Amino acid sequence: MKIFRLILFILHLGILFLLLGTLLNAYIPPKIFPWFNLLSLGFPILMISYIILTIFWVFSWKKRAFIFMFIGLAFINPVKRWVNYSSPKNGDSDIKIVSFNTRAGGGGVSEIGIYLKSQNADVIFLQEDSGISYKFEGYQKTNPSGGFAILTKHKIISQKSIDPQDESVRVPGLQADIEINGRVYRFIDVYLHPFRFDKDMVRLNGNTDANEQKIKDVVKRLIPTFKKHQEQVGFIRQAVENSPYPVILAGDFNSVPNSYEYYHLSEGLEDAFLTAGKGSATSFHDYKFPIRIDYAFSSKSLKAISYEVDRSIHVSDHYPIIVRFSKERK
């Protein structure tokens, strides 16, 4: 029994160090060491394993249980980025946004159009738009660029693509300065470089050699994409930091919470799900695994009062996210 407990203790320590590695994504970019970003993909499994082992030590009446419980407090916010239960928020809804990766309308252009119109949002962020024209009475649309579009029923002051001016770096976003009820806000629609996986690439079977090759192929695709994301994040950060207006940044980041992309895109901004979300933030549902890659962040002068992942519509491999913000009162 002692040997069994020793093995579990070593395993528990190993999982702890891997979890701590995900926190280093806030400091170490993928171009220097991409493996921490890779760890962030497995955060839910690592965290569940850590909790199960901690419970085991509690029922085994081992003092180490309290040490693991204390250290586990460091992962409260990282866990809440995946699953959260915030208290109800008070405030008037000044701005309602919808962000939706429509998968180029492949699931039904008409159905997507009807859904978006029914939301009556102030601003709609679309990714993988592919130039599809969703026309609603009273709405205007920014010029789509690189799969982006922003729709709004308010006055557009200015708009432009966040263009790196480098053919090796994909356009990561679209910004629009929009006046709503006498105030101007900068809305940034984000779509980071996709990994372009299909289910067969990540589905393991009984063939050990084939599975090993699949894992190698996935890693070979992940790491270069992480490095591309690092460059794209830099250009988006410029659009945020140079804004003279409060910012709402939303879209498909193709990155999970606790990743380098998450830490750096959220810097100085509030994660609307942490503020107002309830339940699971999983927004990408194609692989039947908890994956959150769609987000909404805002300047601190705006407060999220509700956050919803709308699982009622299945026309894309993403669920739309719907957020209501209340502006700071003076």
Side-chain angles (χ1 to χ4, degrees), residues 160 162 175 177 186 188 234-247:
K160 70 173 185 177
I162 300 174
Q175 73 177 51
D177 296 337
R186 174 160 294 177
I188 301 176
F235 291 105
I236 295 169
R237 287 302 312 172
Q238 289 178 24
V240 172
E241 292 164 6
N242 295 336
S243 175
Y245 314 115
V247 171

Side-chain angles (χ1 to χ4, degrees), residues 11-27:
L11 177 62
H12 205 169
L13 285 177
I15 291 171
L16 172 60
F17 282 111
L18 292 177
L19 285 169
L20 291 172
T22 66
L23 302 183
L24 293 177
N25 283 314
Y27 312 102

Side-chain angles (χ1 to χ4, degrees), residues 11-175:
L11 177 62
H12 205 169
L13 285 177
I15 291 171
L16 172 60
F17 282 111
L18 292 177
L19 285 169
L20 291 172
T22 66
L23 302 183
L24 293 177
N25 283 314
Y27 312 102
I28 301 175
K31 286 188 177 182
I32 292 178
F33 194 78
W35 298 98
F36 291 137
N37 223 25
L38 198 63
L39 281 177
S40 66
L41 296 172
F43 181 85
I45 294 174
L46 291 171
M47 198 68 231
I48 290 170
S49 301
Y50 185 89
I51 292 170
I52 290 172
L53 287 170
T54 301
I55 292 172
F56 173 81
W57 298 126
V58 170
F59 282 98
S60 298
W61 296 95
K62 294 293 181 180
K63 293 180 181 179
R64 68 191 64 166
F66 298 100
I67 297 174
F68 282 116
M69 288 170 65
F70 178 75
I71 297 174
L73 296 176
F75 304 107
I76 289 178
N77 270 345
V79 168
K80 288 174 67 177
R81 294 171 192 147
W82 295 82
V83 181
N84 189 29
Y85 291 93
S86 63
S87 59
K89 300 294 183 295
N90 297 320
D92 297 328
S93 176
D94 295 302
I95 302 172
K96 178 182 178 181
I97 72 160
V98 175
S99 178
F100 193 16
N101 181 321
T102 63
R103 204 178 190 180
V109 172
S110 176
E111 189 174 349
I112 292 171
I114 292 170
Y115 172 80
L116 294 175
K117 184 178 180 180
S118 71
Q119 291 303 312
N120 193 32
D122 292 289
V123 180
I124 299 171
F125 299 75
L126 299 179
Q127 304 89 44
E128 290 196 46
D129 179 59
S130 298
I132 294 171
S133 181
Y134 299 106
K135 294 181 179 179
F136 318 129
E137 184 178 351
Y139 279 81
Q140 54 185 318
K141 183 177 183 179
T142 59
N143 296 325
S145 174
F148 306 91
I150 296 176
L151 286 72
T152 182
K153 52 185 177 181
H154 300 279
K155 181 181 179 182
I156 298 175
I157 304 299
S158 65
Q159 58 177 288
K160 70 173 185 177
S161 295
I162 300 174
D163 192 349
Q165 299 294 323
D166 183 345
E167 292 183 359
S168 66
V169 182
R170 186 179 180 277
V171 173
L174 172 68
Q175 73 177 51

Side-chain angles (χ1 to χ4, degrees), residues 195-207:
F195 293 101
R196 303 202 184 283
F197 290 135
D198 58 50
K199 291 182 181 179
D200 287 337
M201 293 178 65
V202 296
R203 184 184 290 121
L204 302 181
N205 52 44
N207 188 322

Side-chain angles (χ1 to χ4, degrees), residues 41 44 82 256 280 282 284 288-292:
L41 296 172
W82 295 82
V256 296
S280 169
T282 294
F284 181 80
K288 313 304 179 187
F289 181 83
I291 301 177
R292 179 193 181 195

